[in-house]
mmCIF file with all atom_site columns, all heavy atoms in Angstrom:
data_model
loop_
_atom_site.group_PDB
_atom_site.id
_atom_site.type_symbol
_atom_site.label_atom_id
_atom_site.label_alt_id
_atom_site.label_comp_id
_atom_site.label_asym_id
_atom_site.label_entity_id
_atom_site.label_seq_id
_atom_site.pdbx_PDB_ins_code
_atom_site.Cartn_x
_atom_site.Cartn_y
_atom_site.Cartn_z
_atom_site.occupancy
_atom_site.B_iso_or_equiv
_atom_site.pdbx_formal_charge
_atom_site.auth_seq_id
_atom_site.auth_comp_id
_atom_site.auth_asym_id
_atom_site.auth_atom_id
_atom_site.pdbx_PDB_model_num
ATOM 1   N N   . PRO A 1 1  ? 37.930 142.416 80.104 1.00 0.00 ? 1  PRO A N   1
ATOM 2   C CA  . PRO A 1 1  ? 37.863 143.751 80.727 1.00 0.00 ? 1  PRO A CA  1
ATOM 3   C C   . PRO A 1 1  ? 38.850 143.861 81.895 1.00 0.00 ? 1  PRO A C   1
ATOM 4   O O   . PRO A 1 1  ? 39.307 142.857 82.432 1.00 0.00 ? 1  PRO A O   1
ATOM 5   C CB  . PRO A 1 1  ? 36.434 143.819 81.244 1.00 0.00 ? 1  PRO A CB  1
ATOM 6   C CG  . PRO A 1 1  ? 36.048 142.404 81.499 1.00 0.00 ? 1  PRO A CG  1
ATOM 7   C CD  . PRO A 1 1  ? 36.788 141.585 80.470 1.00 0.00 ? 1  PRO A CD  1
ATOM 8   N N   . ASN A 1 2  ? 39.155 145.073 82.254 1.00 0.00 ? 2  ASN A N   1
ATOM 9   C CA  . ASN A 1 2  ? 40.049 145.346 83.373 1.00 0.00 ? 2  ASN A CA  1
ATOM 10  C C   . ASN A 1 2  ? 39.545 146.595 84.068 1.00 0.00 ? 2  ASN A C   1
ATOM 11  O O   . ASN A 1 2  ? 39.518 147.645 83.437 1.00 0.00 ? 2  ASN A O   1
ATOM 12  C CB  . ASN A 1 2  ? 41.474 145.561 82.882 1.00 0.00 ? 2  ASN A CB  1
ATOM 13  C CG  . ASN A 1 2  ? 42.473 145.651 84.016 1.00 0.00 ? 2  ASN A CG  1
ATOM 14  O OD1 . ASN A 1 2  ? 42.280 145.081 85.070 1.00 0.00 ? 2  ASN A OD1 1
ATOM 15  N ND2 . ASN A 1 2  ? 43.554 146.372 83.781 1.00 0.00 ? 2  ASN A ND2 1
ATOM 16  N N   . PRO A 1 3  ? 39.124 146.556 85.307 1.00 0.00 ? 3  PRO A N   1
ATOM 17  C CA  . PRO A 1 3  ? 39.092 145.445 86.242 1.00 0.00 ? 3  PRO A CA  1
ATOM 18  C C   . PRO A 1 3  ? 38.046 144.400 85.843 1.00 0.00 ? 3  PRO A C   1
ATOM 19  O O   . PRO A 1 3  ? 37.155 144.679 85.052 1.00 0.00 ? 3  PRO A O   1
ATOM 20  C CB  . PRO A 1 3  ? 38.747 146.096 87.573 1.00 0.00 ? 3  PRO A CB  1
ATOM 21  C CG  . PRO A 1 3  ? 38.086 147.370 87.242 1.00 0.00 ? 3  PRO A CG  1
ATOM 22  C CD  . PRO A 1 3  ? 38.633 147.799 85.916 1.00 0.00 ? 3  PRO A CD  1
ATOM 23  N N   . PHE A 1 4  ? 38.152 143.206 86.434 1.00 0.00 ? 4  PHE A N   1
ATOM 24  C CA  . PHE A 1 4  ? 37.277 142.111 86.018 1.00 0.00 ? 4  PHE A CA  1
ATOM 25  C C   . PHE A 1 4  ? 36.865 141.240 87.185 1.00 0.00 ? 4  PHE A C   1
ATOM 26  O O   . PHE A 1 4  ? 37.477 141.251 88.237 1.00 0.00 ? 4  PHE A O   1
ATOM 27  C CB  . PHE A 1 4  ? 37.966 141.251 84.955 1.00 0.00 ? 4  PHE A CB  1
ATOM 28  C CG  . PHE A 1 4  ? 39.119 140.454 85.482 1.00 0.00 ? 4  PHE A CG  1
ATOM 29  C CD1 . PHE A 1 4  ? 38.941 139.143 85.877 1.00 0.00 ? 4  PHE A CD1 1
ATOM 30  C CD2 . PHE A 1 4  ? 40.382 141.010 85.574 1.00 0.00 ? 4  PHE A CD2 1
ATOM 31  C CE1 . PHE A 1 4  ? 39.998 138.396 86.358 1.00 0.00 ? 4  PHE A CE1 1
ATOM 32  C CE2 . PHE A 1 4  ? 41.449 140.270 86.046 1.00 0.00 ? 4  PHE A CE2 1
ATOM 33  C CZ  . PHE A 1 4  ? 41.261 138.960 86.448 1.00 0.00 ? 4  PHE A CZ  1
ATOM 34  N N   . ASN A 1 5  ? 35.808 140.493 86.951 1.00 0.00 ? 5  ASN A N   1
ATOM 35  C CA  . ASN A 1 5  ? 35.316 139.441 87.820 1.00 0.00 ? 5  ASN A CA  1
ATOM 36  C C   . ASN A 1 5  ? 34.190 138.757 87.064 1.00 0.00 ? 5  ASN A C   1
ATOM 37  O O   . ASN A 1 5  ? 33.267 139.432 86.659 1.00 0.00 ? 5  ASN A O   1
ATOM 38  C CB  . ASN A 1 5  ? 34.812 139.985 89.155 1.00 0.00 ? 5  ASN A CB  1
ATOM 39  C CG  . ASN A 1 5  ? 34.316 138.886 90.068 1.00 0.00 ? 5  ASN A CG  1
ATOM 40  O OD1 . ASN A 1 5  ? 34.790 137.774 90.015 1.00 0.00 ? 5  ASN A OD1 1
ATOM 41  N ND2 . ASN A 1 5  ? 33.342 139.209 90.889 1.00 0.00 ? 5  ASN A ND2 1
ATOM 42  N N   . PRO A 1 6  ? 34.171 137.526 86.796 1.00 0.00 ? 6  PRO A N   1
ATOM 43  C CA  . PRO A 1 6  ? 35.074 136.460 87.216 1.00 0.00 ? 6  PRO A CA  1
ATOM 44  C C   . PRO A 1 6  ? 36.093 136.063 86.155 1.00 0.00 ? 6  PRO A C   1
ATOM 45  O O   . PRO A 1 6  ? 36.937 135.236 86.406 1.00 0.00 ? 6  PRO A O   1
ATOM 46  C CB  . PRO A 1 6  ? 34.129 135.307 87.484 1.00 0.00 ? 6  PRO A CB  1
ATOM 47  C CG  . PRO A 1 6  ? 33.090 135.468 86.430 1.00 0.00 ? 6  PRO A CG  1
ATOM 48  C CD  . PRO A 1 6  ? 32.941 136.967 86.268 1.00 0.00 ? 6  PRO A CD  1
ATOM 49  N N   . SER A 1 7  ? 36.006 136.614 84.907 1.00 0.00 ? 7  SER A N   1
ATOM 50  C CA  . SER A 1 7  ? 36.948 136.174 83.877 1.00 0.00 ? 7  SER A CA  1
ATOM 51  C C   . SER A 1 7  ? 37.421 137.354 83.044 1.00 0.00 ? 7  SER A C   1
ATOM 52  O O   . SER A 1 7  ? 36.767 138.399 82.979 1.00 0.00 ? 7  SER A O   1
ATOM 53  C CB  . SER A 1 7  ? 36.313 135.114 82.975 1.00 0.00 ? 7  SER A CB  1
ATOM 54  O OG  . SER A 1 7  ? 35.275 135.675 82.224 1.00 0.00 ? 7  SER A OG  1
ATOM 55  N N   . THR A 1 8  ? 38.552 137.152 82.385 1.00 0.00 ? 8  THR A N   1
ATOM 56  C CA  . THR A 1 8  ? 39.129 138.168 81.515 1.00 0.00 ? 8  THR A CA  1
ATOM 57  C C   . THR A 1 8  ? 39.865 137.472 80.379 1.00 0.00 ? 8  THR A C   1
ATOM 58  O O   . THR A 1 8  ? 40.132 136.271 80.448 1.00 0.00 ? 8  THR A O   1
ATOM 59  C CB  . THR A 1 8  ? 40.097 139.090 82.296 1.00 0.00 ? 8  THR A CB  1
ATOM 60  O OG1 . THR A 1 8  ? 40.488 140.184 81.464 1.00 0.00 ? 8  THR A OG1 1
ATOM 61  C CG2 . THR A 1 8  ? 41.327 138.351 82.775 1.00 0.00 ? 8  THR A CG2 1
ATOM 62  N N   . LYS A 1 9  ? 40.186 138.218 79.327 1.00 0.00 ? 9  LYS A N   1
ATOM 63  C CA  . LYS A 1 9  ? 40.917 137.669 78.188 1.00 0.00 ? 9  LYS A CA  1
ATOM 64  C C   . LYS A 1 9  ? 42.219 138.442 78.010 1.00 0.00 ? 9  LYS A C   1
ATOM 65  O O   . LYS A 1 9  ? 42.251 139.659 78.111 1.00 0.00 ? 9  LYS A O   1
ATOM 66  C CB  . LYS A 1 9  ? 40.086 137.758 76.910 1.00 0.00 ? 9  LYS A CB  1
ATOM 67  C CG  . LYS A 1 9  ? 38.880 136.858 76.952 1.00 0.00 ? 9  LYS A CG  1
ATOM 68  C CD  . LYS A 1 9  ? 38.134 136.879 75.655 1.00 0.00 ? 9  LYS A CD  1
ATOM 69  C CE  . LYS A 1 9  ? 36.943 135.933 75.749 1.00 0.00 ? 9  LYS A CE  1
ATOM 70  N NZ  . LYS A 1 9  ? 36.201 135.868 74.507 1.00 0.00 ? 9  LYS A NZ  1
ATOM 71  N N   . ILE A 1 10 ? 43.287 137.686 77.729 1.00 0.00 ? 10 ILE A N   1
ATOM 72  C CA  . ILE A 1 10 ? 44.607 138.260 77.501 1.00 0.00 ? 10 ILE A CA  1
ATOM 73  C C   . ILE A 1 10 ? 45.041 137.864 76.099 1.00 0.00 ? 10 ILE A C   1
ATOM 74  O O   . ILE A 1 10 ? 45.069 136.679 75.761 1.00 0.00 ? 10 ILE A O   1
ATOM 75  C CB  . ILE A 1 10 ? 45.623 137.746 78.536 1.00 0.00 ? 10 ILE A CB  1
ATOM 76  C CG1 . ILE A 1 10 ? 45.185 138.126 79.947 1.00 0.00 ? 10 ILE A CG1 1
ATOM 77  C CG2 . ILE A 1 10 ? 47.013 138.300 78.232 1.00 0.00 ? 10 ILE A CG2 1
ATOM 78  C CD1 . ILE A 1 10 ? 46.010 137.490 81.042 1.00 0.00 ? 10 ILE A CD1 1
ATOM 79  N N   . GLY A 1 11 ? 45.373 138.848 75.282 1.00 0.00 ? 11 GLY A N   1
ATOM 80  C CA  . GLY A 1 11 ? 45.806 138.596 73.915 1.00 0.00 ? 11 GLY A CA  1
ATOM 81  C C   . GLY A 1 11 ? 47.288 138.855 73.745 1.00 0.00 ? 11 GLY A C   1
ATOM 82  O O   . GLY A 1 11 ? 47.859 139.726 74.401 1.00 0.00 ? 11 GLY A O   1
ATOM 83  N N   . PHE A 1 12 ? 47.908 138.087 72.854 1.00 0.00 ? 12 PHE A N   1
ATOM 84  C CA  . PHE A 1 12 ? 49.309 138.323 72.522 1.00 0.00 ? 12 PHE A CA  1
ATOM 85  C C   . PHE A 1 12 ? 49.562 137.856 71.105 1.00 0.00 ? 12 PHE A C   1
ATOM 86  O O   . PHE A 1 12 ? 48.794 137.071 70.543 1.00 0.00 ? 12 PHE A O   1
ATOM 87  C CB  . PHE A 1 12 ? 50.250 137.633 73.519 1.00 0.00 ? 12 PHE A CB  1
ATOM 88  C CG  . PHE A 1 12 ? 50.133 136.134 73.597 1.00 0.00 ? 12 PHE A CG  1
ATOM 89  C CD1 . PHE A 1 12 ? 50.922 135.318 72.818 1.00 0.00 ? 12 PHE A CD1 1
ATOM 90  C CD2 . PHE A 1 12 ? 49.222 135.541 74.458 1.00 0.00 ? 12 PHE A CD2 1
ATOM 91  C CE1 . PHE A 1 12 ? 50.831 133.934 72.895 1.00 0.00 ? 12 PHE A CE1 1
ATOM 92  C CE2 . PHE A 1 12 ? 49.114 134.168 74.558 1.00 0.00 ? 12 PHE A CE2 1
ATOM 93  C CZ  . PHE A 1 12 ? 49.912 133.363 73.767 1.00 0.00 ? 12 PHE A CZ  1
ATOM 94  N N   . GLN A 1 13 ? 50.631 138.376 70.508 1.00 0.00 ? 13 GLN A N   1
ATOM 95  C CA  . GLN A 1 13 ? 51.001 137.965 69.166 1.00 0.00 ? 13 GLN A CA  1
ATOM 96  C C   . GLN A 1 13 ? 52.492 137.661 69.123 1.00 0.00 ? 13 GLN A C   1
ATOM 97  O O   . GLN A 1 13 ? 53.288 138.322 69.788 1.00 0.00 ? 13 GLN A O   1
ATOM 98  C CB  . GLN A 1 13 ? 50.642 139.031 68.138 1.00 0.00 ? 13 GLN A CB  1
ATOM 99  C CG  . GLN A 1 13 ? 51.313 140.373 68.350 1.00 0.00 ? 13 GLN A CG  1
ATOM 100 C CD  . GLN A 1 13 ? 50.764 141.427 67.401 1.00 0.00 ? 13 GLN A CD  1
ATOM 101 O OE1 . GLN A 1 13 ? 49.596 141.407 67.048 1.00 0.00 ? 13 GLN A OE1 1
ATOM 102 N NE2 . GLN A 1 13 ? 51.620 142.343 66.994 1.00 0.00 ? 13 GLN A NE2 1
ATOM 103 N N   . ILE A 1 14 ? 52.831 136.622 68.360 1.00 0.00 ? 14 ILE A N   1
ATOM 104 C CA  . ILE A 1 14 ? 54.226 136.236 68.203 1.00 0.00 ? 14 ILE A CA  1
ATOM 105 C C   . ILE A 1 14 ? 54.511 136.030 66.713 1.00 0.00 ? 14 ILE A C   1
ATOM 106 O O   . ILE A 1 14 ? 53.704 135.431 66.004 1.00 0.00 ? 14 ILE A O   1
ATOM 107 C CB  . ILE A 1 14 ? 54.576 134.973 69.023 1.00 0.00 ? 14 ILE A CB  1
ATOM 108 C CG1 . ILE A 1 14 ? 53.626 133.818 68.716 1.00 0.00 ? 14 ILE A CG1 1
ATOM 109 C CG2 . ILE A 1 14 ? 54.554 135.274 70.511 1.00 0.00 ? 14 ILE A CG2 1
ATOM 110 C CD1 . ILE A 1 14 ? 53.986 132.517 69.404 1.00 0.00 ? 14 ILE A CD1 1
ATOM 111 N N   . PRO A 1 15 ? 55.650 136.551 66.231 1.00 0.00 ? 15 PRO A N   1
ATOM 112 C CA  . PRO A 1 15 ? 55.940 136.479 64.793 1.00 0.00 ? 15 PRO A CA  1
ATOM 113 C C   . PRO A 1 15 ? 56.535 135.151 64.329 1.00 0.00 ? 15 PRO A C   1
ATOM 114 O O   . PRO A 1 15 ? 56.614 134.902 63.133 1.00 0.00 ? 15 PRO A O   1
ATOM 115 C CB  . PRO A 1 15 ? 56.938 137.617 64.584 1.00 0.00 ? 15 PRO A CB  1
ATOM 116 C CG  . PRO A 1 15 ? 57.612 137.765 65.892 1.00 0.00 ? 15 PRO A CG  1
ATOM 117 C CD  . PRO A 1 15 ? 56.590 137.408 66.935 1.00 0.00 ? 15 PRO A CD  1
ATOM 118 N N   . SER A 1 16 ? 56.972 134.300 65.256 1.00 0.00 ? 16 SER A N   1
ATOM 119 C CA  . SER A 1 16 ? 57.549 133.009 64.877 1.00 0.00 ? 16 SER A CA  1
ATOM 120 C C   . SER A 1 16 ? 57.174 131.970 65.936 1.00 0.00 ? 16 SER A C   1
ATOM 121 O O   . SER A 1 16 ? 56.766 132.328 67.036 1.00 0.00 ? 16 SER A O   1
ATOM 122 C CB  . SER A 1 16 ? 59.074 133.119 64.761 1.00 0.00 ? 16 SER A CB  1
ATOM 123 O OG  . SER A 1 16 ? 59.633 133.546 65.990 1.00 0.00 ? 16 SER A OG  1
ATOM 124 N N   . ASP A 1 17 ? 57.311 130.709 65.584 1.00 0.00 ? 17 ASP A N   1
ATOM 125 C CA  . ASP A 1 17 ? 57.024 129.645 66.546 1.00 0.00 ? 17 ASP A CA  1
ATOM 126 C C   . ASP A 1 17 ? 57.988 129.780 67.717 1.00 0.00 ? 17 ASP A C   1
ATOM 127 O O   . ASP A 1 17 ? 59.207 129.850 67.520 1.00 0.00 ? 17 ASP A O   1
ATOM 128 C CB  . ASP A 1 17 ? 57.192 128.269 65.902 1.00 0.00 ? 17 ASP A CB  1
ATOM 129 C CG  . ASP A 1 17 ? 56.185 128.019 64.788 1.00 0.00 ? 17 ASP A CG  1
ATOM 130 O OD1 . ASP A 1 17 ? 55.334 128.897 64.553 1.00 0.00 ? 17 ASP A OD1 1
ATOM 131 O OD2 . ASP A 1 17 ? 56.255 126.953 64.167 1.00 0.00 ? 17 ASP A OD2 1
ATOM 132 N N   . GLU A 1 18 ? 57.449 129.833 68.937 1.00 0.00 ? 18 GLU A N   1
ATOM 133 C CA  . GLU A 1 18 ? 58.268 130.043 70.132 1.00 0.00 ? 18 GLU A CA  1
ATOM 134 C C   . GLU A 1 18 ? 57.691 129.259 71.306 1.00 0.00 ? 18 GLU A C   1
ATOM 135 O O   . GLU A 1 18 ? 56.492 128.979 71.344 1.00 0.00 ? 18 GLU A O   1
ATOM 136 C CB  . GLU A 1 18 ? 58.291 131.522 70.529 1.00 0.00 ? 18 GLU A CB  1
ATOM 137 C CG  . GLU A 1 18 ? 58.960 132.450 69.550 1.00 0.00 ? 18 GLU A CG  1
ATOM 138 C CD  . GLU A 1 18 ? 60.471 132.377 69.563 1.00 0.00 ? 18 GLU A CD  1
ATOM 139 O OE1 . GLU A 1 18 ? 61.048 131.729 70.459 1.00 0.00 ? 18 GLU A OE1 1
ATOM 140 O OE2 . GLU A 1 18 ? 61.074 132.957 68.649 1.00 0.00 ? 18 GLU A OE2 1
ATOM 141 N N   . PHE A 1 19 ? 58.556 128.971 72.273 1.00 0.00 ? 19 PHE A N   1
ATOM 142 C CA  . PHE A 1 19 ? 58.087 128.448 73.551 1.00 0.00 ? 19 PHE A CA  1
ATOM 143 C C   . PHE A 1 19 ? 57.594 129.646 74.348 1.00 0.00 ? 19 PHE A C   1
ATOM 144 O O   . PHE A 1 19 ? 58.321 130.624 74.552 1.00 0.00 ? 19 PHE A O   1
ATOM 145 C CB  . PHE A 1 19 ? 59.195 127.719 74.309 1.00 0.00 ? 19 PHE A CB  1
ATOM 146 C CG  . PHE A 1 19 ? 58.703 127.078 75.568 1.00 0.00 ? 19 PHE A CG  1
ATOM 147 C CD1 . PHE A 1 19 ? 58.031 125.868 75.531 1.00 0.00 ? 19 PHE A CD1 1
ATOM 148 C CD2 . PHE A 1 19 ? 58.864 127.714 76.788 1.00 0.00 ? 19 PHE A CD2 1
ATOM 149 C CE1 . PHE A 1 19 ? 57.559 125.277 76.690 1.00 0.00 ? 19 PHE A CE1 1
ATOM 150 C CE2 . PHE A 1 19 ? 58.392 127.136 77.957 1.00 0.00 ? 19 PHE A CE2 1
ATOM 151 C CZ  . PHE A 1 19 ? 57.737 125.917 77.909 1.00 0.00 ? 19 PHE A CZ  1
ATOM 152 N N   . VAL A 1 20 ? 56.343 129.606 74.792 1.00 0.00 ? 20 VAL A N   1
ATOM 153 C CA  . VAL A 1 20 ? 55.687 130.756 75.418 1.00 0.00 ? 20 VAL A CA  1
ATOM 154 C C   . VAL A 1 20 ? 55.275 130.404 76.839 1.00 0.00 ? 20 VAL A C   1
ATOM 155 O O   . VAL A 1 20 ? 54.742 129.317 77.089 1.00 0.00 ? 20 VAL A O   1
ATOM 156 C CB  . VAL A 1 20 ? 54.436 131.172 74.607 1.00 0.00 ? 20 VAL A CB  1
ATOM 157 C CG1 . VAL A 1 20 ? 53.690 132.298 75.283 1.00 0.00 ? 20 VAL A CG1 1
ATOM 158 C CG2 . VAL A 1 20 ? 54.831 131.554 73.192 1.00 0.00 ? 20 VAL A CG2 1
ATOM 159 N N   . THR A 1 21 ? 55.518 131.342 77.757 1.00 0.00 ? 21 THR A N   1
ATOM 160 C CA  . THR A 1 21 ? 54.964 131.225 79.105 1.00 0.00 ? 21 THR A CA  1
ATOM 161 C C   . THR A 1 21 ? 54.184 132.496 79.396 1.00 0.00 ? 21 THR A C   1
ATOM 162 O O   . THR A 1 21 ? 54.599 133.591 79.030 1.00 0.00 ? 21 THR A O   1
ATOM 163 C CB  . THR A 1 21 ? 56.055 131.039 80.189 1.00 0.00 ? 21 THR A CB  1
ATOM 164 O OG1 . THR A 1 21 ? 56.914 132.173 80.182 1.00 0.00 ? 21 THR A OG1 1
ATOM 165 C CG2 . THR A 1 21 ? 56.847 129.779 79.962 1.00 0.00 ? 21 THR A CG2 1
ATOM 166 N N   . LEU A 1 22 ? 53.035 132.324 80.016 1.00 0.00 ? 22 LEU A N   1
ATOM 167 C CA  . LEU A 1 22 ? 52.202 133.434 80.464 1.00 0.00 ? 22 LEU A CA  1
ATOM 168 C C   . LEU A 1 22 ? 51.822 133.135 81.904 1.00 0.00 ? 22 LEU A C   1
ATOM 169 O O   . LEU A 1 22 ? 51.085 132.186 82.171 1.00 0.00 ? 22 LEU A O   1
ATOM 170 C CB  . LEU A 1 22 ? 50.963 133.579 79.590 1.00 0.00 ? 22 LEU A CB  1
ATOM 171 C CG  . LEU A 1 22 ? 50.005 134.710 79.935 1.00 0.00 ? 22 LEU A CG  1
ATOM 172 C CD1 . LEU A 1 22 ? 50.707 136.068 79.853 1.00 0.00 ? 22 LEU A CD1 1
ATOM 173 C CD2 . LEU A 1 22 ? 48.798 134.698 79.012 1.00 0.00 ? 22 LEU A CD2 1
ATOM 174 N N   . LYS A 1 23 ? 52.362 133.938 82.824 1.00 0.00 ? 23 LYS A N   1
ATOM 175 C CA  . LYS A 1 23 ? 52.179 133.665 84.248 1.00 0.00 ? 23 LYS A CA  1
ATOM 176 C C   . LYS A 1 23 ? 51.589 134.880 84.954 1.00 0.00 ? 23 LYS A C   1
ATOM 177 O O   . LYS A 1 23 ? 51.832 136.011 84.556 1.00 0.00 ? 23 LYS A O   1
ATOM 178 C CB  . LYS A 1 23 ? 53.516 133.285 84.893 1.00 0.00 ? 23 LYS A CB  1
ATOM 179 C CG  . LYS A 1 23 ? 54.088 132.005 84.309 1.00 0.00 ? 23 LYS A CG  1
ATOM 180 C CD  . LYS A 1 23 ? 55.370 131.617 84.967 1.00 0.00 ? 23 LYS A CD  1
ATOM 181 C CE  . LYS A 1 23 ? 55.866 130.303 84.346 1.00 0.00 ? 23 LYS A CE  1
ATOM 182 N NZ  . LYS A 1 23 ? 57.055 129.808 85.001 1.00 0.00 ? 23 LYS A NZ  1
ATOM 183 N N   . ILE A 1 24 ? 50.836 134.596 86.010 1.00 0.00 ? 24 ILE A N   1
ATOM 184 C CA  . ILE A 1 24 ? 50.204 135.626 86.828 1.00 0.00 ? 24 ILE A CA  1
ATOM 185 C C   . ILE A 1 24 ? 50.945 135.705 88.156 1.00 0.00 ? 24 ILE A C   1
ATOM 186 O O   . ILE A 1 24 ? 51.205 134.676 88.787 1.00 0.00 ? 24 ILE A O   1
ATOM 187 C CB  . ILE A 1 24 ? 48.721 135.293 87.098 1.00 0.00 ? 24 ILE A CB  1
ATOM 188 C CG1 . ILE A 1 24 ? 47.991 134.936 85.806 1.00 0.00 ? 24 ILE A CG1 1
ATOM 189 C CG2 . ILE A 1 24 ? 48.036 136.431 87.841 1.00 0.00 ? 24 ILE A CG2 1
ATOM 190 C CD1 . ILE A 1 24 ? 47.917 136.036 84.790 1.00 0.00 ? 24 ILE A CD1 1
ATOM 191 N N   . TYR A 1 25 ? 51.257 136.936 88.575 1.00 0.00 ? 25 TYR A N   1
ATOM 192 C CA  . TYR A 1 25 ? 51.959 137.172 89.842 1.00 0.00 ? 25 TYR A CA  1
ATOM 193 C C   . TYR A 1 25 ? 51.145 138.106 90.710 1.00 0.00 ? 25 TYR A C   1
ATOM 194 O O   . TYR A 1 25 ? 50.460 139.006 90.199 1.00 0.00 ? 25 TYR A O   1
ATOM 195 C CB  . TYR A 1 25 ? 53.334 137.803 89.586 1.00 0.00 ? 25 TYR A CB  1
ATOM 196 C CG  . TYR A 1 25 ? 54.277 136.900 88.834 1.00 0.00 ? 25 TYR A CG  1
ATOM 197 C CD1 . TYR A 1 25 ? 54.330 136.915 87.442 1.00 0.00 ? 25 TYR A CD1 1
ATOM 198 C CD2 . TYR A 1 25 ? 55.118 136.034 89.513 1.00 0.00 ? 25 TYR A CD2 1
ATOM 199 C CE1 . TYR A 1 25 ? 55.200 136.086 86.754 1.00 0.00 ? 25 TYR A CE1 1
ATOM 200 C CE2 . TYR A 1 25 ? 55.991 135.195 88.828 1.00 0.00 ? 25 TYR A CE2 1
ATOM 201 C CZ  . TYR A 1 25 ? 56.018 135.228 87.449 1.00 0.00 ? 25 TYR A CZ  1
ATOM 202 O OH  . TYR A 1 25 ? 56.867 134.401 86.770 1.00 0.00 ? 25 TYR A OH  1
#
């Protein structure tokens, strides 16, 4: 959910094998 406390889920999809970074700022 958004807004959230204490946890949330982030989904993403990629069409091929890739090096992935997911960062919070």
Side-chain angles (χ1 to χ4, degrees):
N2 188 28
F4 69 95
N5 181 30
S7 67
T8 188
K9 293 184 179 182
I10 300 171
F12 61 92
Q13 60 188 33
I14 53 175
S16 59
D17 295 358
E18 294 285 351
F19 185 80
V20 176
T21 61
L22 181 60
K23 297 182 179 184
I24 310 297
Y25 295 90

